[in-house]
Amino acid sequence: MNTEENRTDLDGIDQQALDAYIQKRLKEETEKRGSQSEIRLESLRVVGSLLIIFVLGLFIVSPFVQLILRAVNGLDSQPLTVSSGYVRYYQQTIHNTHIMARFTAALVLGWLILYSIVRKRSGRSLSGDLGKKTAFSRLLPMLVFLLFVISIILVTVIRGPNEYDLTGHPYMYESIYSYISYPLVFFFCGMMLKQESHRKLLLYALLFTSLPVNILALVNEWAVKIKLFNGAGVCAVFHNSNHYGYYLAITIITAVLLFVYENTAWLKVFSSICAITATVVLIINNTLGAYLAVLFVLILFVIYSFVIVKEHRLMSVVILAGFLLVTFVMSFWYSTILSSFVTLFGDIGMIIEDPLEADKAGSSRWRLWKGTVSHMGESPFLGFGVEGLLNTYHVGTPHNEFLQYAEFFGIQTSLLYIMACAIILLRVFKNSKKLDKTTMICFFVCIGYLASSFFGVAIYYTTPFIYIFLGLTYAEYLHKKPDELKIAE
């Protein structure tokens, strides 16, 4: 009897131990599978980052790529028209870049969905330690850009597409699909690059490929005409000097700030060479809006260095003085910028004296702005579609990107664009002391582009730059831990 009771007790103890052992093994197996899944997803993340770097880099270096492709395919100098080989070849290059970028964005989105599923099964949310409210707030710029996209789609459906909405103007080459892709593809991919080394790689890709283009532009101006350029002013591979001005402004700001922050001696020297070369070309190029944008950013950087971060004070003054010195020296041979300033003050006086008769002010920009605003009341919220005022009222692109969005897709669409940009820049600025130097370089590049865009146009081979740099600017903030930031959320 006692023996049977002892056996029963032993059996019970064995059963309990067995159950515990089974539970332990099941838990270990589950954790192992979860760990293996996360390892696979981490591998996919690395591959995704490389793809993002490739497609963003492909657009960033596209002017240099275009130069190489022209040389390989033997495109000689020819008149610049809508149907010319120069225009069509560049458009095809950017079109192919868009296809690869959209494919990459879809892969990254798929990875995020898989990652969220794996973390949810393992009892962790995608937002991690952020919390749902904070995570939602971190994604606010992307959500505003989604509203921007929805607004474009809705107004096009309600109003009905015009002749350029679905295909784009033959020259500007931006359809509604382009405007939809910019935030959903380029901004989205940019904000996924959380590692500083990846962002820095893209900045140096810009400099290393811009320098040959800018040097050849000087050779074209001072020595022999380059057959690969169209010959219509200082444009290099671009269709218009103003478009080249955008690119030069971005290059100069990137180069001078890398010169300030770079610790490696040869890269510091290289950045200074890139900055000086691009500045010389910009002065000859004579795009006043781009020049003023660079000057504005350099002044802001001096204020930022003295008042906000209280470092690199001397260097900030040196780069501003250097920019003005190059302008002064170049004025002995080229009076372009100085004469443009004189014209600018004259235009301002003309507008103040009689705004209704100042159509020639700002290289006729005032006429375009006035024409756009005067017709906006006819369709303030639906807009007129891509280049919608061109054939109806003979008013072309207004040479102001904020007005351009309002004209094409309604005032609310322009406001959403401004809101998304403002949220990104304000959040990064508030946390500038806690963010890396590469983020701040991208921040100032965005300021420069947006300032220049007051006098410029959105066009297929320059517009993605602002969305890429907005994404790169926001990437670090998006992925930082809450206790590392001043979160206005």
Side-chain angles (χ1 to χ4, degrees):
M1 183 70 177
N2 291 337
T3 304
E4 291 179 358
E5 287 179 357
N6 290 339
R7 187 179 294 114
T8 303
D9 293 338
L10 185 61
D11 290 341
I13 292 172
D14 290 343
Q15 187 62 46
Q16 290 176 3
L18 181 61
D19 290 343
Y21 176 76
I22 292 172
Q23 291 295 328
K24 181 180 178 182
R25 289 302 302 270
L26 286 172
K27 184 178 179 180
E28 289 176 351
E29 191 66 27
T30 301
E31 289 178 351
K32 183 179 179 181
R33 285 198 299 267
S35 178
Q36 289 174 342
S37 297
E38 291 212 18
I39 290 172
R40 285 194 291 268
L41 285 173
E42 181 64 19
S43 301
L44 287 174
R45 185 193 68 79
V46 173
V47 174
S49 295
L50 293 175
L51 281 173
I52 289 174
I53 293 169
F54 174 73
V55 296
L56 296 186
L58 191 59
F59 184 86
I60 286 173
V61 306
S62 58
F64 179 72
V65 171
Q66 181 64 18
L67 183 67
I68 297 299
L69 290 175
R70 287 184 184 183
V72 170
N73 289 276
L75 283 180
D76 290 333
S77 182
Q78 54 187 271
L80 186 65
T81 63
V82 170
S83 60
S84 71
Y86 277 153
V87 174
R88 289 303 180 203
Y89 209 73
Y90 212 143
Q91 289 175 349
Q92 189 60 40
T93 301
I94 300 300
H95 174 72
N96 293 335
T97 303
H98 276 298
I99 292 174
M100 287 185 281
R102 289 164 185 166
F103 176 72
T104 299
L107 286 179
V108 173
L109 181 60
W111 174 85
L112 285 174
I113 294 171
L114 284 174
Y115 186 56
S116 64
I117 293 172
V118 169
R119 287 185 67 89
K120 189 174 182 179
R121 286 181 176 177
S122 63
R124 292 172 289 173
S125 65
L126 181 61
S127 58
D129 298 329
L130 291 178
K132 290 183 179 180
K133 183 178 179 181
T134 302
F136 177 84
S137 181
R138 291 282 183 96
L139 292 173
L140 185 58
M142 190 72 247
L143 297 175
V144 175
F145 272 133
L146 282 174
L147 292 176
F148 169 85
V149 168
I150 292 170
S151 178
I152 291 174
I153 295 171
L154 285 179
V155 299
T156 305
V157 171
I158 295 170
R159 167 178 34 80
N162 70 11
E163 61 183 310
Y164 300 130
D165 274 336
L166 304 182
T167 59
H169 184 273
Y171 180 71
M172 308 302 284
Y173 204 60
E174 288 183 314
S175 66
I176 62 168
Y177 305 114
S178 303
Y179 291 106
I180 290 170
S181 293
Y182 294 152
L184 295 186
V185 174
F186 291 104
F187 174 73
F188 172 71
C189 286
M191 75 178 191
M192 289 294 106
L193 287 183
K194 63 179 181 180
Q195 293 188 29
E196 181 183 14
S197 58
H198 294 166
R199 299 192 298 274
K200 197 171 184 180
L201 178 63
L202 291 177
L203 295 182
Y204 274 112
L206 173 65
L207 294 196
F208 274 98
T209 56
S210 67
L211 186 60
V213 174
N214 294 335
I215 289 175
L216 287 177
L218 293 179
V219 171
N220 185 72
E221 175 70 16
W222 292 339
V224 296
K225 293 301 178 182
I226 305 296
K227 290 185 177 181
L228 304 177
F229 296 167
N230 61 46
V234 185
C235 304
V237 296
F238 296 88
H239 310 331
N240 182 283
S241 58
N242 292 329
H243 307 161
Y244 190 20
Y246 264 138
Y247 180 71
L248 290 168
I250 291 170
T251 302
I252 293 168
I253 296 168
T254 301
V256 296
L257 295 186
L258 280 172
F259 170 74
V260 171
Y261 292 132
E262 182 58 65
N263 294 320
T264 305
W266 75 270
L267 286 175
K268 206 174 187 72
V269 172
F270 173 75
S271 298
S272 67
I273 293 171
C274 290
I276 294 170
T277 304
T279 300
V280 170
V281 178
L282 179 62
I283 292 168
I284 302 173
N285 168 272
N286 194 26
T287 301
L288 183 61
Y291 181 90
L292 290 174
V294 175
L295 181 61
F296 175 65
V297 167
L298 295 184
I299 293 172
L300 279 184
F301 185 70
V302 171
I303 297 171
Y304 170 78
S305 300
F306 275 82
V307 179
I308 307 300
V309 293
K310 297 182 174 62
E311 60 181 12
H312 302 293
R313 296 176 179 177
L314 177 60
M315 195 66 74
S316 67
V317 174
V318 167
I319 61 174
L320 175 59
F323 182 75
L324 295 175
L325 177 62
V326 173
T327 303
F328 174 75
V329 171
M330 289 295 295
S331 68
F332 286 100
W333 294 277
Y334 295 90
S335 61
T336 53
I337 293 298
L338 296 179
S339 62
S340 293
F341 269 111
V342 173
T343 303
L344 174 64
F345 289 121
D347 289 345
I348 293 172
M350 190 189 308
I351 293 170
I352 294 173
E353 182 178 346
D354 190 352
L356 296 178
E357 298 297 328
D359 286 354
K360 293 183 179 180
S363 300
S364 298
R365 281 175 173 79
W366 183 253
R367 177 182 64 81
L368 294 171
W369 295 353
K370 188 176 68 175
T372 301
V373 172
S374 66
H375 293 292
M376 280 302 298
E378 299 173 22
S379 184
F381 302 113
L382 295 179
F384 299 90
V386 175
E387 299 295 343
L389 294 178
L390 182 60
N391 293 338
T392 306
Y393 296 105
H394 305 291
V395 177
T397 305
H399 283 72
N400 178 305
E401 288 193 27
F402 307 102
L403 272 180
Q404 185 172 338
Y405 284 121
E407 176 202 327
F408 290 4
F409 309 116
I411 294 171
Q412 77 288 343
T413 305
S414 181
L415 291 176
L416 288 168
Y417 171 73
I418 294 170
M419 185 186 303
C421 294
I423 292 171
I424 293 165
L425 297 178
L426 286 174
R427 286 184 172 181
V428 170
F429 176 73
K430 286 180 180 179
N431 292 275
S432 57
K433 292 182 180 179
K434 300 183 178 182
L435 299 175
D436 62 50
K437 304 305 182 184
T438 304
T439 293
M440 296 315 299
I441 293 173
C442 296
F443 169 86
F444 282 107
V445 169
C446 289
I447 296 290
Y449 182 101
L450 292 171
S452 183
S453 71
F454 272 100
F455 311 98
V457 298
I459 188 169
Y460 72 98
Y461 57 3
T462 59
T463 310
F465 276 116
I466 183 59
Y467 290 92
I468 290 172
F469 275 94
L470 283 171
L472 297 178
T473 300
Y474 198 63
E476 186 184 6
Y477 180 96
L478 177 66
H479 297 283
K480 279 277 190 182
K481 294 179 180 179
D483 57 356
E484 296 177 328
L485 295 171
K486 293 179 181 177
I487 304 178
E489 301 171 344

